[in-house]
Amino acid sequence: MKTDNKNIDTRKVVALRTAGWGTERIAAEMGISPDVVAEALHNHAERQTQEQKCKAEEKPKPEKIVSLSATELREIYEKAATIGAKEALKTFEQERKREYSHRADKRLRNTKLLLRNYHMLKEHAENSVFGRTQMKESALDILESMMSIYNDEVIIQSIKNSATRTAIIVSHIETMFGLYYSYCDRSTNREIDLRRYNVVWDMYMAEDTLSAKEIAEKQNISKDSVYSDLRVGIERLTALIFGVDGLNVR
């Protein structure tokens, strides 16, 4: 049986002891004497104790302290302020564009609402028993008030509440249609623009309005073209009725 412990596999000895093997059994398994096993275990325990002691005595590394001059600090502050200002401006521009787009959509919606109710408003203005009074309110004042109302019925009722208000809006719509016709008549795409004008007129303004199918037959175009003409025509009318602010007119 071996007695020299220089070439002993100490890790195996420790592993077997950890597994619950006794000294005699380990010695028999590895072909060494029990004393050698005991010495190997003792030496292993001492090494572990020494390693733990060394770790405990190790001093923590000091934290690095960065020293900046007043000039360097000022440059950092200025850069941070510049970045912050740019981000704030970017956010402001995004909000402004959203608001711009929202108002444009609202004006387009209100134009369609006025066109759909044009004949009813015109009849109301002509037959109202209340008569008309002098009002300082302009068409644009009335239209601007519509922007803060989000119920279509309430918008129309707010106009009908005054015969004078109704007459102002009806007159404004008719005047803007006249301007729209003049624009189309002088357009470089006169034929197409006049067709768009007539499509919108027949759909909303004519004494006997027509359906999309009837307009398509009258203009000898498809129903898809009718809806396309309506979209472009109403966009241009919105720019005239509400003013070009807030709309991207084709």
Side-chain angles (χ1 to χ4, degrees), residues 63-158:
E63 296 182 0
K64 291 184 178 180
I65 300 176
V66 179
S67 178
L68 298 175
S69 67
T71 301
E72 290 172 326
L73 284 172
R74 185 170 60 254
E75 289 178 352
I76 291 173
Y77 292 149
E78 289 174 352
K79 287 180 181 178
T82 300
I83 293 171
K86 286 181 179 179
E87 287 300 316
L89 182 60
K90 182 180 177 181
T91 301
F92 172 77
E93 284 297 320
Q94 290 173 343
E95 290 295 328
R96 189 181 67 83
K97 286 179 180 179
R98 277 195 289 269
E99 177 63 21
Y100 193 80
S101 176
H102 173 73
R103 285 183 64 83
D105 291 342
K106 188 73 165 59
R107 288 177 176 180
L108 187 62
R109 175 185 174 87
N110 284 341
T111 297
K112 293 176 181 178
L113 179 65
L114 291 174
L115 292 176
R116 288 197 304 270
N117 290 276
Y118 166 75
H119 284 287
M120 181 269 292
L121 291 173
K122 185 175 178 65
E123 183 178 355
H124 177 77
E126 292 174 348
N127 300 324
S128 176
V129 297
F130 296 104
R132 301 181 186 179
T133 59
Q134 293 295 324
M135 291 183 67
K136 295 181 180 180
E137 207 173 20
S138 68
L140 292 180
D141 291 332
I142 300 170
L143 293 169
E144 184 61 28
S145 71
M146 294 170 60
M147 299 297 291
S148 60
I149 305 174
Y150 292 87
N151 184 292
D152 291 352
E153 291 183 8
V154 175
I155 289 175
I156 296 302
Q157 189 58 46
S158 71

Side-chain angles (χ1 to χ4, degrees), residues 111-236:
T111 297
K112 293 176 181 178
L113 179 65
L114 291 174
L115 292 176
R116 288 197 304 270
N117 290 276
Y118 166 75
H119 284 287
M120 181 269 292
L121 291 173
K122 185 175 178 65
E123 183 178 355
H124 177 77
E126 292 174 348
N127 300 324
S128 176
V129 297
F130 296 104
R132 301 181 186 179
T133 59
Q134 293 295 324
M135 291 183 67
K136 295 181 180 180
E137 207 173 20
S138 68
L140 292 180
D141 291 332
I142 300 170
L143 293 169
E144 184 61 28
S145 71
M146 294 170 60
M147 299 297 291
S148 60
I149 305 174
Y150 292 87
N151 184 292
D152 291 352
E153 291 183 8
V154 175
I155 289 175
I156 296 302
Q157 189 58 46
S158 71
I159 296 173
K160 288 175 61 181
N161 281 341
S162 165
T164 304
R165 243 188 173 218
T166 308
I168 289 172
I169 287 298
V170 169
S171 176
H172 183 65
I173 294 172
E174 292 173 348
T175 300
M176 293 306 107
F177 251 96
L179 290 177
Y180 182 36
Y181 177 83
S182 296
Y183 161 79
C184 295
D185 191 41
R186 295 195 303 269
S187 170
T188 53
N189 296 317
R190 184 175 183 276
E191 183 179 349
I192 294 175
D193 282 324
L194 282 176
R195 186 192 73 203
R196 287 170 175 165
Y197 169 87
N198 287 322
V199 166
V200 179
W201 180 270
D202 285 338
M203 176 65 73
Y204 298 109
M205 302 291 288
E207 186 172 346
D208 295 316
T209 57
L210 303 178
S211 66
K213 181 180 179 181
E214 290 170 331
I215 293 172
E217 292 174 353
K218 179 180 177 179
Q219 297 292 338
N220 194 27
I221 57 177
S222 67
K223 283 181 67 175
D224 287 342
S225 294
V226 170
Y227 292 123
S228 177
D229 285 351
L230 283 171
R231 184 173 64 253
V232 176
I234 292 173
E235 283 180 358
R236 287 178 173 164

